Amino acid sequence: MLVPALLVLLFCLRGHAGLSPHFLQQPDDLVALLGDEARLPCALGEYWGLVQWTKDGLALGGERDLPGWSRYWISGNAASGQHDLYIRPVELEDQASYECQATQAGLRSRPAQLHVLVPPEAPQVLGGPFVSLVAGIPANLTCRSRGDARPIPELLWFRDGIRLDGTSFHQTLLKEGTTGSVESILSLTPSSHDDGATLVCRARSQALPSGKDTAITLSLQYPPVVTLSAEPQTVLEGEKVTFLCQATAQPPVTGYRWAKGGSPVLGARGPMLEVVADASFLTEPVSCEVSNAVGSANRSTALDVQFGPILQARPEPMSVDVGEDASFSCAWRGNPLPRVTWTRSGDAQVLGSGPTLRLPSVGPEDAGDYVCRAEPGLSGLGGGAAEARLTVNAPPVVTALHSAPAFLRGPARLQCLVFASPAPDAVVWSWDEGFLEAGSRGRFLVETFPVPEGREGQGPALISVLHISGTQESDFSRGFNCSARNRLGEGGTQVSLGRRDLLPTVRIVAGVASAAMTLLMVIIGVTLCCWHHGKASASFSKQKNLVRIPGSSDGSSSRGPEEETGSSEDRGPIVHTDHSDLVLDEERALETKDPTNGYYKVRGVSVSLSLGEGPGGGLFLPPPSPLGHPGTPTFYDFNPHQGMVPPCRLYRARAGYLTTPHPRAFTSYSKPTSIGPPDLAPRTPPFPYAAFPIPSHPRLQTHV
């Protein structure tokens, strides 16, 4: 029991006697801001001797106030072993390695590194605080931080508290181990919306985590920003419209320029333009260009102009063969878009709608004019129509025209009407003993005349006339065929010649005789009256006077020797006679009876008429064109229902002569003979005719 107690006491005495000086607290590395206070702690145990601090191995001294180091001192309870080093204010030269040493005990603390931080200064933005930029042009903003900031600061850009990207960073060295300046460059392409914006450049480091800011304001120069409006935007054609061009710009606007559809509007200079709207404004927008010292900007707008239909593409005439398809197209423009319908000319039935009309397998009945009609839209404006003709090519259609009856051995005329598309290659007249296409042959002559306007859609029309001189009995009993052909086929018809009796001619002769008797009685009465007054008896010259019928081919006219003896002043007037309607004797000479029964020995007139190269031996000459100069094609304009036919003039190869007892015994009498309208055959379609000159054939009337 005693032994353990002694051992414990011995151990306790040994432990107390073996305690030695040691560090209770050693300094650590320290970071201090420039100008702040730095404290390096040091605490020793079981040591009551001298304590000193070293700076980079240099002893600062053993006294507590550290004379010679005005900003340094040692503080703490020395009895308790507290020996802390204080530095205030911290400067850059204080950055070093510090040790706490117990010199008498030979103790040294671990080295403690003091880092002095220098906060950055406020950065500088080149060109600030107001930086002028041009909108749309890339620019660089430079933020620079100068001084001995430690550590090197970071330069950041902010706008409205939001960090901006697109920066670059670099630094400039002044000398080894130190820095001169730090720059940060912000690249941007400003717009007009950036005008007046505030940008912040912030210098931030460990010494100053919150950083220091420098703000700048952007002053943007930008070309005009244009707004173009129209009032009203939807307008009827012919109404006024006002365009207003508004612009913001820096520097201010210097000019306005207006254009329509790319063409300048002359005389327009200001921000307002007044116009009268028409259809062109729908497709040709109005533009306003505004300019300043930086540049220019352009805006355009189109009006919603409501207008009636406008024809853009007219339907084209078509010519197709029978059985083929036909189509017409037309284009109309309008706002609202017009409704397009197709009808036939003169018919209200709608055949189709839309820009195209298709007619499959056309026939002759489809020929005619077709109308493309644009109906007004919702606006109720306008409307229009365009026509195109469809010609259906088919074999010729030949129709017989009514021909006037003819006298036996007199002239006759037969006619036919030909419709053909394409035009016929030939129109031929044929009869029992032959045929004739053109020109003359014996007693026959063929003439063909174009009609300016044919039947609607059936191409041009022709009238072919067959003239017959000196008709014979067989001409009234046989048929004459008129036929025409083209590349699609042939068509024809038969024409008959009607006969006319001589009764009207007999009546005319009787009337002439009655008039002659009446005149004779008047002359006898006058003569007796003269005898009653005792005047000398009048004697008639025995010399015969001659009456020449004009139309003779020469001026001499065949006369007998007895007829040539008369003087020129005793000769009677020359009279053109036409006795085609008188009674003809066997020698084809006209024979009139003496109304005085031989009292005055009045001779009949012998007139020889011949047509063509007939038995009379006369010459048949075709008439000149009634509508043009000689030698040019003959055209006749046939007006409806007038029924005039091409004239046929008869030229006399010989003239007869009439002897009279006295020049005053006869007077000339002319009876106009007109060529009547052709009699159309039943169901023959009407066609236009033109009026032709009406020849007249003077007749000889004798008075006794």
Side-chain angles (χ1 to χ4, degrees), residues 128-140:
F130 295 97
V131 179
S132 179
L133 301 177
V134 177
I137 298 178
N140 294 327

Side-chain angles (χ1 to χ4, degrees), residues 459-682:
L462 300 173
I463 288 183
S464 184
V465 182
L466 175 64
H467 298 278
I468 305 175
S469 63
T471 59
Q472 300 176 0
E473 286 288 349
S474 60
D475 295 337
F476 299 101
S477 59
R478 63 184 170 189
F480 294 86
N481 292 320
C482 176
S483 61
R485 66 177 179 273
N486 61 11
R487 63 178 178 83
L488 297 175
E490 183 175 355
T493 188
Q494 189 175 63
V495 186
S496 299
L497 178 61
R499 186 166 181 171
R500 184 178 180 186
D501 58 24
L502 297 178
L503 182 59
T505 304
V506 175
R507 292 178 178 178
I508 294 175
V509 173
V512 172
S514 176
M517 290 295 295
T518 303
L519 180 61
L520 179 62
M521 295 177 63
V522 173
I523 293 175
I524 293 174
V526 172
T527 303
L528 293 176
C529 182
C530 291
W531 279 104
H532 181 73
H533 287 83
K535 293 184 178 180
S537 169
S539 61
F540 292 90
S541 174
K542 294 183 179 181
Q543 186 177 0
K544 298 179 181 179
N545 296 305
L546 301 180
V547 177
R548 185 166 60 94
I549 300 175
S552 175
S553 61
D554 56 4
S556 61
S557 301
S558 60
R559 290 171 290 183
E562 181 182 357
E563 295 170 349
E564 295 289 349
T565 60
S567 63
S568 61
E569 62 182 8
D570 290 335
R571 295 171 184 170
I574 299 174
V575 180
H576 184 189
T577 64
D578 185 356
H579 295 277
S580 61
D581 56 344
L582 298 180
V583 178
L584 301 176
D585 59 6
E586 292 179 356
E587 297 179 356
R588 304 177 67 183
L590 300 178
E591 189 69 31
T592 58
K593 297 181 179 180
D594 184 1
T596 63
N597 294 323
Y599 185 85
Y600 286 100
K601 297 181 179 180
V602 177
R603 294 172 55 189
V605 179
S606 176
V607 181
S608 178
L609 304 178
S610 63
L611 301 175
E613 297 179 358
L619 177 63
F620 191 101
L621 298 179
S625 169
L627 299 182
H629 298 290
T632 59
T634 306
F635 292 87
Y636 293 90
D637 183 13
F638 296 91
N639 295 324
H641 310 301
Q642 291 186 359
M644 298 302 298
V645 298
C648 176
R649 301 177 183 173
L650 302 179
Y651 293 81
R652 279 73 177 175
R654 293 194 301 271
Y657 292 87
L658 176 66
T659 57
T660 61
H662 194 273
R664 291 191 298 270
F666 297 92
T667 59
S668 63
Y669 168 75
S670 296
K671 176 183 178 182
T673 302
S674 62
I675 299 178
D679 298 325
L680 300 180

